[in-house]
């Protein structure tokens, strides 16, 4: 069976994390947990793209600083973002003297990076790897929908792309929390064509990966304190839970979604919640990591989901494929 | 030192390769080596993007068939391309039941895939991995420059994006050729802003990675039958050789570049030669692989280079960063 959960040969430590978010995210329920909240989504730059590059760069810098490491101590960088040809990652990494592998998994990129990074560290090829991903509301609107100046109407199923980023420093095993298992996802296309309903596109991919996770690991839902998807939003989360229920797997009491957590959805007019490669990464690298460090959470299944279309594929009538990758983050090995 | 060559714990076999190219490439000097030459660059589809998706999908199908494997026998797919949000890979992989990790390294993607794939197989996490990348002249012109209908003039330093793709099936060690070493590259930005001179942008990255390769491995140039860059073209190749010469490393007699090889540059009006993620992959997976199998080549350093800008970053005045990754492919372990 090619579709399986892998138990790492050695648990891999998350040595440090960092997070930066925009103004709107900094007014949400998780505001006390982020490392830096921007006053202005330009972040002192002249374009939103340059601001997003700076978010990623500063996330990596912060993570290095927290772990008291220099570039030379870090063996590899894994990073991705949503902008055409992943320029935010490419330009951010041009400021570091660290070998770099660019990834594209849309909003699933942080899980993809953690998955590859933990496989490479646990096999003793590398000792320290930085994993990062970002998104920016204004770059993503321009890229995937319309420039914000256009003032396009949002549909009820739409999600709000998070301005933010996160960085995880993976290290050979030293202290908890650890990454212990990984489950790589397949591309799942259920024929959905609505580019304003990412939750519906991605829920089947999250379902497929989580079902695989439980079928091919020793875990059952009760082994987890939290199954954290990112970012299905409110609608996608309901569909995801429903799909698993049909398979006899009830995760309703232990599921949350970073798209639901990052905004006070009603007060902040976020429709179905947050999304973007910076949503799950900024929430994981702040709120969730802190709870793991405090022992308020002890085992989390982090399932990041990505919708794999672009504007052209939609305009050419193709439906929207999606993917989800999962990693188990645990305080116990 | 984080910037280093890694000797794989076990050599990884290249079990099979496949290649598809367009009409122009099929009229070049390597025409006898490709598996399939298209009569029409639409490949029976209604858009160039759909044609490129089909090129990747059929490359993977061909490779599976050559190795007599089904989806279930393949543990992982690694793929990337040049189109916004890597849709060619995403849609191609939606037709397979294989876990998928999307990569973006521009034209360096095939080397990035081989590098990650061989690390993961040699550490016993996976047994069989397909690595693929593609490009298409008409999708790339539209994406990075102008739609072909615009009839833009080409500058003398421009390269011609190859319509084509390649797929490599990596396997636990069985028969030669093997991947034995990998060298991951850093992002190098020398401040070049000319988007019609990719060779000049990428040559310093190739130089940096190859210099690292020789400094941190037991190899000297004389250990190689061929140092194969892809795709610096004619101008970039000269710069690359010159940069190495200044470091006292003479590779002039054993260097070639897939961008120089794929076209009869003068007769086919290809300016500085071929480029695109499908150039180095289609040449590696046809001409070079056949020569390795026949023993006409015994050790090749495959160095794929990528320019990491997009149209927006250039329009916003940013210079063009580049990257190069290298893998050693050898008949002897």
């Amino acid at each position: 069976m090619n579709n399986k959960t892998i138990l790492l040969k050695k648990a891999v430590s998350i040595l440090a994390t960092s997070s930066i978010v925009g103004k709107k995210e900094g007014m949400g329920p998780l505001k006390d947990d982020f490392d830096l909240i921007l006053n202005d989504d330009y972040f002192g730059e002249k374009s939103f793209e340059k601001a997003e590059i700076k978010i990623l760069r500063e996330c990596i810098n912060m993570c290095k600083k927290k772990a008291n490491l220099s570039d030379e101590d870090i063996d590899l960088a894994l990073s991705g973002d949503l902008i055409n040809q992943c320029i935010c990652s490419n330009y951010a990494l041009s400021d570091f003297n660290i070998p770099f592998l660019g990834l594209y998994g849309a909003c699933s990129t942080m899980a993809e990076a953690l998955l590859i990074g933990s496989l490479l560290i646990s096999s003793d090829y590398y000792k320290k790897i930085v994993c990062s991903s970002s998104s920016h509301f204004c770059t993503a609107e321009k890229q995937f929908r319309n420039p914000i100046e256009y003032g396009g109407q949002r549909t009820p199923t739409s999600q709000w792309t998070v301005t933010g980023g996160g960085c995880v420093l993976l290290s050979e095993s030293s202290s908890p929390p650890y990454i212990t298992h990984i489950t790589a996802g397949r591309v799942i296309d259920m024929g959905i064509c609505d580019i304003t309903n990412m939750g519906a596109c991605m829920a089947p991919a999250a379902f497929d990966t989580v079902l695989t996770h439980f079928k091919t690991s020793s875990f059952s839902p009760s082994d987890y304190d939290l199954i954290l998807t990112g970012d299905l939003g409110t609608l996608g989360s309901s569909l995801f839970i429903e799909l698993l229920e049909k398979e006899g797997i009830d995760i309703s009491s232990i599921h949350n979604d970073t798209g639901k957590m990052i905004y006070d959805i009603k007060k902040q007019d976020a429709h179905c919640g947050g999304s973007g490669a910076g949503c799950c990464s900024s929430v994981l690298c702040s709120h969730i990591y802190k709870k793991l460090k405090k022992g308020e959470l002890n085992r989390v299944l982090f399932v990041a989901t990505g919708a794999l279309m672009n504007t052209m594929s939609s305009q050419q009538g193709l439906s929207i494929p999606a993917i989800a990758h999962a990693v188990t983050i645990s305080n116990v090995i």
Side-chain angles (χ1 to χ4, degrees), chain A:
Chain A
M1 188 167 174
N2 61 354
N3 195 20
K4 65 185 181 199
T5 298
I6 292 177
L7 164 66
L8 299 181
K9 295 173 189 183
K10 299 175 186 178
V12 171
S13 285
I14 299 182
L15 205 59
T17 64
S18 60
S19 59
I20 297 176
V21 295
K23 199 171 176 178
K24 183 182 176 96
E25 294 72 23
M27 295 191 298
L30 308 182
K31 61 179 183 289
D32 295 333
D33 291 324
F34 300 115
D35 289 317
L36 179 65
I37 295 169
L38 306 180
N39 291 321
D40 166 2
D41 287 359
Y42 274 108
F43 203 178
E45 296 289 327
K46 290 195 172 172
S47 74
F48 295 125
E49 286 75 20
K50 289 180 183 175
E52 190 178 339
I53 293 168
K54 190 170 173 184
I55 287 173
L56 260 182
R57 190 174 64 217
E58 293 312 313
C59 276
I60 299 172
N61 271 327
M62 258 191 243
C63 220
K64 271 172 55 185
K65 203 172 169 183
K66 284 187 186 185
N68 199 21
L69 296 175
S70 68
D71 284 8
E72 286 62 36
D73 302 318
I74 300 171
D75 301 304
L76 190 66
L78 299 166
S79 186
D81 56 272
L82 302 180
I83 300 311
N84 291 349
Q85 285 77 43
C86 302
I87 53 159
C88 298
S89 299
N90 299 340
Y91 282 91
L93 265 301
S94 73
D95 284 336
F96 298 95
N97 184 10
I98 304 174
F100 167 56
L101 300 173
L103 309 180
Y104 186 76
C107 306
S108 74
T109 301
M110 181 50 103
E112 182 182 348
L114 295 176
L115 183 162
I116 295 175
S118 56
L119 287 171
L120 295 181
I121 289 179
S122 64
S123 53
D124 288 330
Y125 278 126
Y126 297 97
K127 288 189 161 65
K128 293 196 166 50
I129 296 178
V130 280
C131 301
S132 54
S133 71
S134 66
S135 54
H136 191 299
F137 177 73
C138 301
T139 66
E141 284 299 302
K142 188 159 97 180
Q143 194 80 105
F144 290 96
R145 285 162 287 265
N146 297 296
I148 48 165
E149 294 83 353
Y150 180 75
Q153 289 291 307
R154 300 174 69 76
T155 66
T157 55
S158 68
Q159 291 175 245
W160 189 279
T161 305
V162 162
T163 298
C167 180
V168 171
L169 179 66
L170 296 179
S171 165
E172 45 186 351
S173 186
S174 59
S175 56
Y178 307 101
I179 295 180
T180 59
H181 297 70
I182 65 101
T183 312
R186 301 175 289 177
V187 182
I188 304 290
D189 188 339
M190 299 299 282
I192 295 164
C193 292
D194 182 357
I195 58 159
T196 65
N197 192 348
M198 294 290 102
C201 299
M202 299 190 291
F207 160 73
D208 187 69
T209 298
V210 171
L211 187 65
T212 299
H213 179 77
F214 287 121
K215 277 190 176 173
T216 61
S217 75
S218 57
F219 294 125
S220 63
S222 61
D223 292 313
Y224 284 101
D225 300 320
L226 176 65
I227 294 179
L228 182 72
T229 50
D231 312 289
L232 298 175
T234 51
L235 179 68
S237 291
S238 307
L239 295 170
F240 168 63
I241 287 171
E242 197 180 316
L243 287 166
L244 280 173
E245 263 171 11
K246 285 188 182 166
E247 295 289 327
I249 298 173
D250 179 10
I251 60 155
S252 54
S253 63
I254 51 162
H255 173 260
N256 210 341
D257 182 84
T258 58
K260 288 165 71 176
M261 296 164 75
I262 197 163
Y263 300 120
D264 185 326
I265 291 180
K266 283 194 180 166
K267 277 193 195 158
Q268 292 189 281
D269 190 28
H271 293 62
C272 271
S275 69
C279 180
C280 65
S281 65
S282 65
V283 173
L284 176 73
C285 293
S286 58
H287 186 67
I288 301 299
Y289 185 67
K290 285 184 181 173
K291 279 188 174 283
L292 281 157
K293 285 303 269 186
K294 282 185 204 158
E296 292 171 17
L297 290 170
N298 280 307
R299 190 180 284 133
V300 175
L301 185 65
F302 175 61
V303 188
T305 60
L308 300 176
M309 80 298 173
N310 75 3
T311 49
M312 262 188 302
S313 62
S314 296
Q315 285 157 6
Q316 292 182 13
L318 293 172
S319 54
I320 303 172
I323 199 160
H325 303 297
V327 298
T328 300
I329 307 174
S330 174
N331 279 335
V332 288
I333 302 183

